Structures are given as C-alpha cells and as structure tokens.
Amino acid sequence: MLELKLRHLAKLEEVKIRGEQEALEQEREQLQETLGSKSRLNALIKQELILDAEKHGDARRSPIVVRQSAQAIDETALAGNEPVTVILSEKGWIRAAKGHDIDPQSLAYRSGDAFLSAVQTRSNQLVCVLDSSGRSYAISAHDLPSARTQGEPLTGRLNPPAGAVFTTLLTGGEQDRYLMASDAGYGFVTVLGDLLTRNRAGKAVISLSEQSRFLPPLRLANPETDALALVTAQGRLLIVNVSDIPVLSKGKGNKLVAIKSEELEKREDYVLAMSSLAPGQILKITSGKRHVSLQGDDLEHYRGARGRRGNPLPRGFQRVDGLEAVMR
C-alpha cells in the first residue's frame, strides 16, 4: 500500500510539471511572435501604457505647449539705443563716436590716411559697408572702437576680395531705397535690407565689367516721383524717371545712359556723377569755380528715355566737377 501511494504521488507531480512546461512553451511562442511583428509589439506597448495610465494616471498639472524652436540671440537687441557716428578712412580703418555732432574731417588719422565716409546711426543698428568690387557687408555699430582712437582695420572683421577696397558706408531702415549703378551706365533700385549680410565675405550686389567702376549708391527719397540726373565725362546730361528703373536685389541692372563700350574701355566716356531730383528742385552743376542752375524748361531739355546718351551741357560746363539737387 505504501509503494502504491508513492507512485501515485509521483504521477501527479509529473502531470503538474508537464502542464507547466506546456504553458511556458505557449508563452515562448507568443513572445517570439510578438517580437517578430512590429505591429503586435506596438499593440502590446499601447495596451500596457493604457493599463498603466488607468491604474496610476491623474489629471496633468503641466500643460504641453508648442514653442518656437530655439534661435541665437541677436546681439544688436542687447545693445543700447544711442546716437553714434561711424567713420571710415581711406585706408579702411573704422571707428565710432558718440553723438551726431561730430566733424569727421577734424579727427586725427594715421600717417598717409584721411577721411573717406561717415554715417549717423544708432548703436543698435547695423551699418552697411560697400567695396570697390560691388560687394556689400554688415557690421554692428555698438562694438566699434572709440573715435578717440584711430580705430581698427575693417579687414579684421570682413574678408573682401583681393584688390578690393572699402568705399562707402550706408545705414537706415531696411526698406530705405538706393540706386546702385556702375559708371558703365547700368543700374537698378534696391532696398537696404537686401544689402545686409553678416557673412564675413559679404555678398555680390552689382556686377561690374573689367572697365567699369562702382559708383557711390544714391539714396532715393521717393522713387515714384523723383528723377535721376546723370552726367557723363563727355559733358552730356540725361534726366530719367526713377520709376522706369527696375527694382532688383542684385545684378548688373538695366541701361540708364548710353556709354559706348570702346570709349568706356579707353576711359574716354563714363558716368561722372549722378543725383536724384525731386519735383520743384533745381539742378546745380559745378565746373571749376563756376556753376549753372537748371530748372523748369532748362531741365526738360535734358529729359529723355532711359538708355539714351543725353544732351550736351552748355559750353564751359561740360567738364563737370559737381552735381547737386537744391531747393529753389
């Protein structure tokens, strides 16, 4: 009797172990199927998250809000807003003086150097720099060296092309309009914002031929009503409507006044000077110590379509030294 009961108990234990083995085998097969199927695995994770949320979740106390991606801080936004005058020398040295009541000509310059260009701006504004190759740059006004010193070379901040020299400073609002032109007689209207770039190598603005040179940009107060006066080295004057000049961000531009290519190559003819002319203004032309003022019908004589040669100026005034629009 004792032997029979022990066998019976062993059989029961064997049945129990086989049952556990079959259950583990089924669980192993289910796990392998789940791991082998991305959709089944995602469904399992979703189900477990839902169960955990029901068991442990509560009302969220920190709302999720979509925010704008992080951006670098604009250093000009941290600068003060004070009037400053930025001065550029012929050798490319730059500095800034506090206030707008500064006479740049009276400042001390390095031996062999002299005043070239200056702009009145604010310490939190960018200053546009142009070079002789037709490239533009932008620098901050707030961190320039003091005008009490002789400044620092712009080449420490910018990388102009070989042989290029800095020529002009511009400042103002990004929508301020300027005429960009070459002395080959081509040009276009652009806004100051298109000239600004923080790239040390700058950006190409106006395309120049080997024979042409970049003229100082001309600020346009009202392109819809203003005219543009252009004087050539051969003593011709042409007045065109600014509204007929294309608006571009860069390029060669359209022909403003006709300059023969062979004469440009020999530097026998080119655009000598240009000036914007508002309605009612007088055009003052200086030749040596003499000057002549054109107004009314005298100005109409020189008006023409963009791209023409213009008419010769009066005798004695065909060697132009200055061109200026003044009020009556």
Side-chain angles (χ1 to χ4, degrees), residues 287-303:
S287 179
K289 296 182 179 180
R290 303 169 59 198
H291 73 270
V292 62
S293 297
L294 303 178
Q295 57 183 311
D297 293 339
D298 293 335
L299 287 176
E300 291 300 322
H301 174 68
Y302 297 98
R303 285 189 178 271

Side-chain angles (χ1 to χ4, degrees), residues 307-324:
R308 295 189 176 181
R309 294 195 67 189
N311 292 326
L313 288 165
R315 289 182 178 274
F317 292 95
Q318 294 183 358
R319 294 180 62 86
V320 177
D321 295 315
L323 190 67
E324 182 184 10

Side-chain angles (χ1 to χ4, degrees), residues 57-116:
D58 57 5
R60 186 174 184 87
R61 299 176 183 178
S62 299
I64 298 177
V65 180
V66 178
R67 298 294 185 186
Q68 190 177 15
S69 57
Q71 297 179 351
I73 296 177
D74 183 3
E75 60 182 12
T76 59
L78 303 178
N81 184 7
E82 300 176 347
V84 294
T85 301
V86 179
I87 304 104
L88 176 67
S89 75
E90 292 178 353
K91 299 297 184 181
W93 286 64
I94 196 163
R95 48 185 159 168
K98 292 184 178 180
H100 289 167
D101 55 344
I102 305 298
D103 180 11
Q105 300 278 6
S106 65
L107 297 177
Y109 292 87
R110 297 166 60 88
S111 177
D113 203 357
F115 167 74
L116 177 63

